[in-house]
Amino acid sequence: MTSIVEPSAYEAACNGRGPADHGRVVREVLDRVGDKWSVLVIGALQGQRLRFTELLHAIPGISQRMLTLTVRQLERDGLLTRTVHAEVPPRVEYELTDRGRGFVELALALAEWAIEHREGIEASRAEYDARA
């Protein structure tokens, strides 16, 4: 006797058998956490609390404006918290929430996969480009 395995909500949405909004939710979340600045901000905050300037220096190439936009979106999504200390000048610190720390594990797994398969991917690209 074979057992029937129910598809995950994601698999059902991809196959047109689940609520259509699951696909929208997945796209929205991947748009946020899949952009290069969000991943780098989350990585920089892994295991530590940083002030804005420290975070700015920890991420090569990010502008102050892009960092501001990125931390606002990550805070809005509940992936990091922003704490303002009532000092002169004000001190602002950022740290990951439990949700943000949970994403770190997934991002690290994806990064490990990318490193493990980098040579094969580069070879496939070269082979494809040579045919094109």
Side-chain angles (χ1 to χ4, degrees), residues 121-132:
I121 290 170
E122 288 174 354
S124 293
R125 287 176 180 169
E127 182 181 313
Y128 179 91
D129 291 347
R131 288 193 315 260

Side-chain angles (χ1 to χ4, degrees), residues 58-128:
I59 304 169
I62 194 167
S63 68
Q64 185 171 344
R65 174 168 164 63
M66 186 52 66
L67 180 57
T68 298
L69 293 172
T70 302
V71 294
R72 282 183 186 161
Q73 286 298 324
L74 292 172
E75 181 181 13
R76 181 175 181 244
D77 291 343
L79 297 172
L80 63 79
T81 58
R82 176 180 183 263
T83 305
V84 180
H85 299 276
E87 301 174 357
V88 179
R91 179 170 48 104
V92 179
E93 294 179 323
Y94 298 90
E95 67 181 313
L96 295 177
T97 61
D98 287 341
R99 185 176 303 139
R101 285 187 289 277
F103 176 73
V104 168
E105 296 172 27
L106 298 172
L108 289 175
L110 181 58
E112 290 295 326
W113 181 90
I115 290 167
E116 181 180 331
H117 294 279
R118 176 182 54 88
E119 290 179 7
I121 290 170
E122 288 174 354
S124 293
R125 287 176 180 169
E127 182 181 313
Y128 179 91

Side-chain angles (χ1 to χ4, degrees), residues 35-46 48-72 74 80 94-96:
D35 77 75
K36 68 179 177 181
W37 298 123
S38 293
V39 171
L40 293 173
V41 167
I42 290 169
L45 290 171
Q46 181 184 354
Q48 61 185 339
R49 179 182 309 148
L50 294 175
R51 294 176 72 165
F52 185 87
T53 305
E54 294 170 326
L55 196 49
L56 186 64
H57 293 302
I59 304 169
I62 194 167
S63 68
Q64 185 171 344
R65 174 168 164 63
M66 186 52 66
L67 180 57
T68 298
L69 293 172
T70 302
V71 294
R72 282 183 186 161
L74 292 172
L80 63 79
Y94 298 90
E95 67 181 313
L96 295 177

